[in-house]
């Protein structure tokens, strides 16, 4: 029998009793798809070596400037609330991650992905694909313009809804910092009900996935603005001069 | 500083992560191209049709590539990085070159990252080349893991290249890795 939201809420509450730390618990039964897809053996601790101490290099031949604007990819203007999302990618020691690739993808304002597997009967927007790419600047800054995504239903349990989010894929300066995550919007009423978000059982760590509204990023007569800084884990290799931009501060 | 936690790549990752040529680090017709391929399986042994693997590797001379171009490949520059999604049968494949040893006497490997719907955080592993048995026998990682699980870290040679299967769970579960700074950030 399919679970209800009340069933899931009970499981989320039970899982929250066991300290899980700031990572998502990969063994998290309220997220049903995880049951058969998480390793049961503990990860083996190893000192990174060889290529693991380096990250792939991306550059301007990989990413065009206009890929950071998800609102200009079609003839018309997409529907929805125009927003700018910006922030800095930093390593675990606070150093900016410069010239590195950030990939984003998301649903449209109605909560529909432009993806064959998304069967949610909300409208597609012919003027919105929902994919962006950009490189971080010398101080680790990324910035893109898009439409605020809508929440959407999924089949985890009866009446399951994901809080609105943007998927992020981020590289660091070494292989071990690779991160794929989701950015959320402040004050979403779906947070307590969502097993993917709640799989991070430490509330302080969960909060790190929520962007902040920033009126300084908002522009008059045009768009609202959100700021979200992305701190990666620490690097295992002492960065070279060429990895670090001059700090003018 | 507190590291941002991961979240699942979800079911719609193809939208944001897939692009033409992502799994062709060299054109398949390249004279030295090999096929690195395999299946991703779940804990019941069923194929996982919505996983994505990334590889990061040295070139055949053991040099670590420091050149851009993985997203818009020019057919000539070896960038050492690629991405492949599994198909409906859980199969993925790359066209690439065999990595060389970056350190003398050590067996070459592909660094591998695994993402999937249902997998709440990415996983790391290594896929070693199977040929240098003496080097494999003394490789610190391989000697440190349970001998019964060691083969999960080593590719199998076939005429066109190398096979590397990933078992997310269950019998034959792949050895996944963590690193000191991850453990410290999240301990
Ligand atoms: Fe999503």
């Amino acid at each position: 029998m399919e679970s209800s939201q009340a069933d899931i809420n009970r499981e989320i509450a039970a899982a929250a009793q066991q300290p899980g730390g700031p990572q998502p618990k990969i063994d998290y039964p309220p997220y049903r798809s995880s049951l058969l897809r998480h390793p049961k053996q503990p990860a083996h601790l190893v000192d990174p070596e060889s290529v693991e101490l380096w990250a792939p290099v991306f550059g301007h031949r990989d990413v065009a400037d206009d890929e950071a604007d998800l609102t200009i990819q079609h003839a018309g203007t997409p529907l929805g609330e125009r927003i700018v999302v910006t922030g800095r990618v930093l390593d675990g020691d606070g150093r900016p991650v410069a010239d590195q690739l950030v990939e984003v993808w998301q649903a449209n304002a109605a909560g529909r992905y432009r993806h064959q597997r998304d069967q949610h009967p909300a409208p597609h927007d012919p003027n919105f694909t929902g994919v962006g790419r950009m490189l971080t600047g010398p101080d680790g800054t990324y910035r893109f313009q898009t439409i605020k995504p809508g929440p959407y239903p999924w089949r985890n349990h009866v009446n399951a809804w994901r809080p609105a989010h943007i998927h992020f894929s981020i590289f660091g300066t070494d292989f071990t910092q690779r991160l794929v995550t989701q950015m959320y919007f402040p004050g979403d009423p779906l947070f307590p009900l969502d097993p993917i978000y709640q799989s991070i059982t430490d509330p302080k760590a969960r909060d790190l996935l929520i962007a902040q509204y920033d009126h300084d990023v908002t522009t008059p007569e045009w768009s609202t603005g959100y700021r979200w800084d992305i701190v990666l884990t620490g690097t295992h290799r002492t960065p070279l001069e060429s990895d670090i931009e001059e700090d003018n501060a | 500083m507190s590291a941002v936690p991961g979240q699942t790549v979800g079911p719609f990752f193809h939208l944001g992560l897939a692009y033409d040529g992502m799994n062709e680090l060299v054109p398949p017709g390249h004279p030295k191209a090999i096929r690195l391929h395999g299946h991703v399986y779940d804990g019941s042994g069923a194929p996982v049709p919505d996983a994505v693997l990334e590889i990061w590797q040295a070139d055949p001379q053991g040099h670590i590539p420091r050149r851009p171009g993985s997203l818009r490949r020019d057919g000539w520059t070896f960038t050492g990085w690629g991405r492949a999604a599994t198909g409906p049968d859980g199969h993925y494949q790359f066209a690439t070159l065999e990595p060389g040893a970056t350190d003398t006497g050590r067996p070459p490997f592909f660094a591998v990252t695994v993402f999937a719907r249902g997998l709440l955080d990415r996983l790391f592993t290594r896929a070693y080349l199977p040929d240098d048995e003496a080097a494999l026998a003394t490789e610190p990682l391989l000697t440190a893991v349970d001998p019964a699980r060691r083969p999960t870290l080593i590719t199998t040679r076939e005429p066109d290249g190398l096979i590397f299967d990933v078992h997310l769970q269950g019998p034959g579960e792949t050895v996944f890795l963590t690193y000191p700074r991850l453990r410290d950030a999240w301990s």
Side-chain angles (χ1 to χ4, degrees), chain A residues 21-28 31 33-64 67 90-95 101 103-107 113-115 117-119 129-133 152 162 167 169 171 173 175-182 184 194-200 205-206 208-209 228-237 243, chain B residues 1-19 41-44 46-51 54-59 62-75 77 79-81 83 100-103 106 109-113 115-126 128 139-141 144-146 149 167-170 173-183 185-187:
Chain A
Q23 281 176 285
K25 284 184 162 180
I26 57 172
D27 177 4
Y28 196 72
Y31 178 28
S33 309
S34 74
L35 288 171
L36 291 168
R37 292 185 171 196
H38 69 274
K40 293 192 169 176
Q41 304 290 331
H44 184 93
L45 179 67
V46 66
D47 284 323
E49 301 177 285
S50 180
V51 284
E52 290 166 336
L53 293 168
W54 299 84
V57 173
F58 298 93
H60 289 286
R61 63 156 293 137
D62 290 300
V63 185
E67 291 183 74
L90 303 171
D91 75 16
D93 303 301
R95 285 184 293 250
L101 177 66
E103 297 162 286
V104 295
W105 69 101
Q106 62 168 95
Y113 283 90
R114 192 178 278 235
H115 190 288
R117 277 188 53 177
D118 187 353
Q119 298 300 314
T129 303
V131 178
R133 295 187 188 92
Y152 60 86
R162 297 291 333 278
H167 295 264
S169 160
F171 294 79
T173 52
F175 172 79
T176 68
Q177 294 169 292
R178 184 80 177 92
L179 177 71
V180 167
T181 191
Q182 301 177 25
Y184 300 91
D194 178 39
I196 291 180
Y197 181 67
Q198 295 293 335
S199 69
I200 305 153
R206 282 201 299 269
L208 296 173
L209 294 179
W228 187 50
D229 289 333
I230 304 164
V231 179
L232 304 176
T233 50
T235 54
H236 293 81
R237 172 177 55 86
D243 289 342
Chain B
M1 300 179 81
S2 302
V4 165
Q7 292 271 265
T8 181
V9 74
F12 307 127
F13 62 79
H14 310 85
L15 176 66
L17 297 182
Y19 61 92
Y41 297 104
D42 74 10
S44 71
V48 175
D50 38 21
E54 292 175 355
I55 58 169
W56 170 230
Q57 61 166 104
D59 72 12
H63 297 137
I64 298 171
R66 304 295 301 146
R67 288 187 290 185
S70 297
L71 291 184
R72 291 200 171 92
R73 301 195 190 275
D74 63 12
T77 306
T79 65
W81 184 85
R83 176 183 282 162
T102 56
D103 300 281
R106 300 289 296 277
F109 64 87
F110 300 90
V112 179
T113 324
F115 311 86
R117 180 180 70 85
L119 182 58
L120 279 158
D121 204 2
R122 48 96 193 84
L123 300 171
F124 295 114
T125 188
R126 291 182 187 175
Y128 283 93
E139 175 68 2
L141 170 61
V145 303
D146 176 355
R149 303 186 64 207
H167 293 262
L168 295 176
Q169 190 189 83
E173 184 177 303
T174 299
V175 173
F176 296 104
L177 304 177
T178 188
Y179 303 98
R181 300 284 321 258
L182 274 66
R183 188 198 51 188
W186 285 320
S187 60

Side-chain angles (χ1 to χ4, degrees), chain A:
Chain A
M1 205 185 81
E2 281 191 278
S3 307
S4 67
Q5 182 69 55
D7 296 331
I8 295 295
N9 292 353
R10 273 191 295 276
E11 293 182 36
I12 287 173
Q17 298 308 309
Q18 298 146 23
Q23 281 176 285
K25 284 184 162 180
I26 57 172
D27 177 4
Y28 196 72
Y31 178 28
R32 298 293 191 240
S33 309
S34 74
L35 288 171
L36 291 168
R37 292 185 171 196
H38 69 274
K40 293 192 169 176
Q41 304 290 331
H44 184 93
L45 179 67
V46 66
D47 284 323
E49 301 177 285
S50 180
V51 284
E52 290 166 336
L53 293 168
W54 299 84
V57 173
F58 298 93
H60 289 286
R61 63 156 293 137
D62 290 300
V63 185
D65 287 345
D66 62 8
E67 291 183 74
D69 192 341
L70 286 72
T71 69
I72 58 165
Q73 295 171 351
H74 300 273
T77 304
L79 294 172
E81 180 183 345
R82 186 186 292 117
I83 61 172
V84 163
V85 180
T86 188
R88 294 174 78 202
V89 181
L90 303 171
D91 75 16
D93 303 301
R95 285 184 293 250
V97 176
D99 303 320
Q100 194 45 290
L101 177 66
V102 176
E103 297 162 286
V104 295
W105 69 101
Q106 62 168 95
N108 69 20
R112 183 91 189 256
Y113 283 90
R114 192 178 278 235
H115 190 288
Q116 189 193 340
R117 277 188 53 177
D118 187 353
Q119 298 300 314
H120 175 33
H124 281 299
D125 184 340
N127 292 312
F128 192 71
T129 303
V131 178
R133 295 187 188 92
M134 67 222 82
L135 296 173
T136 57
D139 65 348
T141 295
Y142 71 90
R143 184 181 199 276
F144 62 100
Q145 176 163 270
T146 186
I147 294 296
K148 194 174 183 185
Y152 60 86
W154 58 313
R155 302 271 169 85
N156 189 67
H157 53 278
V158 175
N159 208 15
W161 288 78
R162 297 291 333 278
H165 59 271
I166 299 177
H167 295 264
F168 274 70
S169 160
I170 302 132
F171 294 79
T173 52
D174 80 34
F175 172 79
T176 68
Q177 294 169 292
R178 184 80 177 92
L179 177 71
V180 167
T181 191
Q182 301 177 25
M183 185 207 87
Y184 300 91
F185 292 88
D188 197 312
L190 294 167
F191 286 148
L193 310 179
D194 178 39
I196 291 180
Y197 181 67
Q198 295 293 335
S199 69
I200 305 153
T201 54
D202 176 344
K204 287 203 301 290
R206 282 201 299 269
D207 282 352
L208 296 173
L209 294 179
I210 305 174
Q212 298 303 309
Y213 173 74
D214 187 340
H215 204 62
D216 292 332
V217 179
T218 293
T219 48
E221 319 297 326
W222 188 251
S223 70
T224 55
Y226 290 86
R227 182 170 292 281
W228 187 50
D229 289 333
I230 304 164
V231 179
L232 304 176
T233 50
T235 54
H236 293 81
R237 172 177 55 86
T238 308
L240 302 173
E241 293 272 307
S242 58
D243 289 342
I244 308 170
E245 292 292 325
E246 285 292 306
D247 188 348
N248 298 320

